[in-house]
Amino acid sequence: MTDQAVAERLRGMEQVLSQEDLPVEAERCFYCYDAPCTQACPAEIDIPAFIRALAVEQPERAADIILRENPLGMSCARVCPVETLCENVCVRLTDAGGAVRIGLLQRAAMAAWTPRAKERPHPLGQRVAVVGAGPAGMTAARLLAEAGVQVTVSDAAGHPGGLNETGIAAYKMLDDAAQKEASWLLDHPSIEFVRGIALGSDFTLASLRQQYRAVILAIGLAGQRQLRIPGEDLPGVLAAVPFIAAMRRGEAVPVGKKVAVIGGGMTAIDIAIQIRLLGAEEVHICYRRGIEDMGASAHERQLAQAQGVLIHPGLRPLEVRQAADGGLELIMEPLRAGAEGAWIPAGKPECWQVDQIFTAIGQCLDRGAWVEDAELMSLALDAHGKIAVDDAGRSSLPDVWAVGDCAGRSSDLTVQAVADAKRAVVSILSDWKQEAA
């Protein structure tokens, strides 16, 4: 398939409101006082206010209202599972026309927005180090800088963006949207961005704590969870997130004809749709529990099925073997719901003939580079192996906060990373204010 054909297929997945539909959709909003949609938004965007601005043809003001609470308003408009958040509690949900399409309205507002220079705030005379330039790190850095704090952001990668740049399917982030947003977020006179250096190997947590008043860890989850079954290291068995990252970098990626995806979350849906758009003839998502238990929303599942992706609940992988024809044999055990939510074997294992398998079963902290950093290794972890934090994002070490996927409170949503970062910034500024009082 040619690059142009791939681009056309990706573009075909875009969802946008036409200029004719935009005001009609905006006028459907009841502009609720104490709006449930705002309460359901982790970033607490004043949704009725920005929709009202759109309705009176003020898209720039609508975007400003969004950005006031969510600096990542552009990417969240593309990747937020609104069908399970704001739109799921819209008072018009049961109307014939369904919920107000808040996500598409937010996207329209952000599409009309152009970056504007802001006045430099009065400096507070404090410095903060932010480790990681993903959604949480960039949000924290921008909010701190706008509050008058000098911020140094570092990232092991050569460019900012984190999972927005590497872990989300290309069809959701067309037109280089993630990099454009990252460039704006970090383009502030009080932010210094240092790329290509990693905590634990190029510098230590102790050195940051000596140089900065506070440290925010926004290091994400770089490790890939393993299936822990025989054959998962065979050629053709690939982790979904690094594959998506390679594709987003424009690298050539192998595309199988018959593909199996193991997992039930958003990443499983993303890779299944993406590989299908790239030309795979058959794509099967296999999930070990019921379809209602999948992390991917019903809307995302419908998108995948509309692309011809087949979803199979109640299947557990047991083994991967090399097939005689060079392909792969995936041995799957059928499961059925048993008592008290348990899933139990429901028949003889099946052998699937495929030529590519993607694992999308989650990520974990990669502590391999931490072993030489005593303070990093001393950080308390929670029961899920993430950095343990309190409600404000404070870690077990003084003046060290952790936000985003690496911290215990986070789910793997961009908007949740934004919410984490906002809480941590409020906590840091509040602590300083109390100390100065």
Side-chain angles (χ1 to χ4, degrees):
M1 185 178 295
T2 65
D3 290 346
Q4 183 178 356
V6 172
E8 288 175 356
R9 283 194 169 195
L10 297 180
R11 184 69 66 184
M13 289 288 292
E14 273 200 315
Q15 291 184 303
V16 293
L17 285 172
S18 69
Q19 287 301 310
E20 293 76 22
D21 289 341
L22 194 156
V24 175
E25 193 63 27
E27 290 289 356
R28 292 187 64 232
C29 180
F30 286 158
Y31 312 121
C32 304
Y33 177 77
D34 202 17
C37 52
T38 294
Q39 295 176 31
C41 174
E44 300 178 323
I45 293 174
D46 188 343
I47 292 170
F50 95 72
I51 293 179
R52 185 187 294 274
L54 281 176
V56 296
E57 300 182 358
Q58 296 181 359
E60 286 269 349
R61 188 165 72 84
D64 286 342
I65 292 169
I66 294 166
L67 293 171
R68 192 167 61 208
E69 297 298 336
N70 184 351
L72 270 74
M74 186 183 300
S75 56
C76 283
R78 294 166 178 257
V79 304
C80 238
V82 289
E83 65 278 3
T84 63
L85 296 172
C86 53
E87 292 183 8
N88 190 45
V89 296
C90 176
V91 297
R92 303 206 65 166
L93 182 63
T94 57
D95 287 1
V100 175
R101 290 184 284 180
I102 299 168
L104 293 184
L105 288 169
Q106 180 170 332
R107 181 160 179 168
M110 295 309 304
W113 179 77
T114 53
R116 300 188 296 275
K118 286 191 174 183
E119 292 184 10
R120 190 164 188 164
H122 178 73
L124 295 182
Q126 302 288 2
R127 300 171 67 223
V128 171
V130 176
V131 184
M138 292 190 298
T139 299
R142 184 76 191 192
L143 295 177
L144 285 166
E146 290 182 351
V149 179
Q150 192 69 35
V151 186
T152 300
V153 184
S154 60
D155 197 284
H159 49 74
L163 275 182
N164 270 4
E165 182 62 28
T166 61
I168 293 175
Y171 68 87
K172 294 181 177 176
M173 285 291 186
L174 294 175
D175 304 320
D176 211 14
Q179 272 306 294
K180 289 177 182 174
E181 184 172 62
S183 296
W184 170 74
L185 285 165
L186 299 180
D187 182 21
H188 191 284
S190 296
I191 297 178
E192 176 192 18
F193 178 50
V194 185
R195 66 190 73 207
I197 60 171
L199 178 64
S201 54
D202 297 308
F203 58 96
T204 65
L205 181 55
S207 67
L208 293 181
R209 295 179 71 197
Q210 290 171 359
Q211 297 173 56
Y212 296 89
R213 181 67 186 281
V215 177
I216 297 179
L217 301 177
I219 53 180
L221 299 172
Q224 307 298 317
R225 292 195 184 281
Q226 303 293 307
L227 291 171
R228 300 186 186 282
I229 62 173
E232 70 172 315
D233 55 349
L234 285 171
V237 183
L238 305 167
V241 170
F243 184 92
I244 292 173
M247 191 173 52
R248 293 284 301 275
R249 291 193 297 269
E251 298 175 10
V253 292
V255 178
K257 291 184 178 178
K258 186 172 181 179
V259 179
V261 177
I262 310 297
M266 303 286 273
T267 302
I269 296 290
D270 275 1
I271 189 64
I273 293 177
Q274 190 75 68
I275 203 71
R276 177 79 173 133
L277 292 173
L278 289 174
E281 295 174 1
E282 281 186 42
V283 181
H284 302 260
I285 293 177
C286 307
Y287 181 57
R288 62 191 174 90
R289 292 182 178 274
I291 201 159
E292 66 281 359
D293 300 318
M294 292 178 71
S297 68
H299 174 70
E300 293 282 338
R301 297 198 301 269
Q302 289 166 5
L303 282 180
Q305 290 167 328
Q307 293 300 317
V309 174
L310 302 172
I311 300 177
H312 307 270
L315 280 177
R316 176 171 60 189
L318 296 179
E319 184 179 1
V320 181
R321 301 172 185 159
Q322 192 75 62
D325 63 357
L328 298 168
E329 293 178 346
L330 175 59
I331 312 302
M332 303 288 282
E333 180 179 48
L335 303 173
R336 64 175 175 82
E340 299 180 352
W343 282 73
I344 59 178
K348 294 181 179 178
E350 305 170 359
C351 180
W352 289 24
Q353 302 290 330
V354 298
D355 50 19
Q356 198 170 41
I357 299 171
F358 288 103
T359 61
I361 56 173
Q363 296 175 280
C364 56
L365 274 179
D366 180 3
R367 301 177 74 205
W370 293 19
V371 293
E372 301 297 328
D373 189 326
E375 287 205 6
L376 264 180
M377 291 299 290
S378 73
L379 278 170
L381 304 183
D382 65 14
H384 303 288
K386 295 184 176 185
I387 298 172
V389 294
D390 65 11
D391 289 347
R394 294 185 185 86
S395 76
S396 57
L397 294 176
D399 300 321
V400 177
W401 280 256
V403 295
D405 290 351
C406 69
R409 287 178 55 88
S410 301
S411 59
D412 58 349
L413 296 179
T414 300
V415 70
Q416 189 61 58
V418 170
D420 282 0
K422 289 175 65 176
R423 279 193 294 269
V425 168
V426 168
S427 170
I428 290 169
L429 297 178
S430 176
D431 282 1
W432 292 349
K433 189 174 181 180
Q434 289 180 16
E435 289 173 12

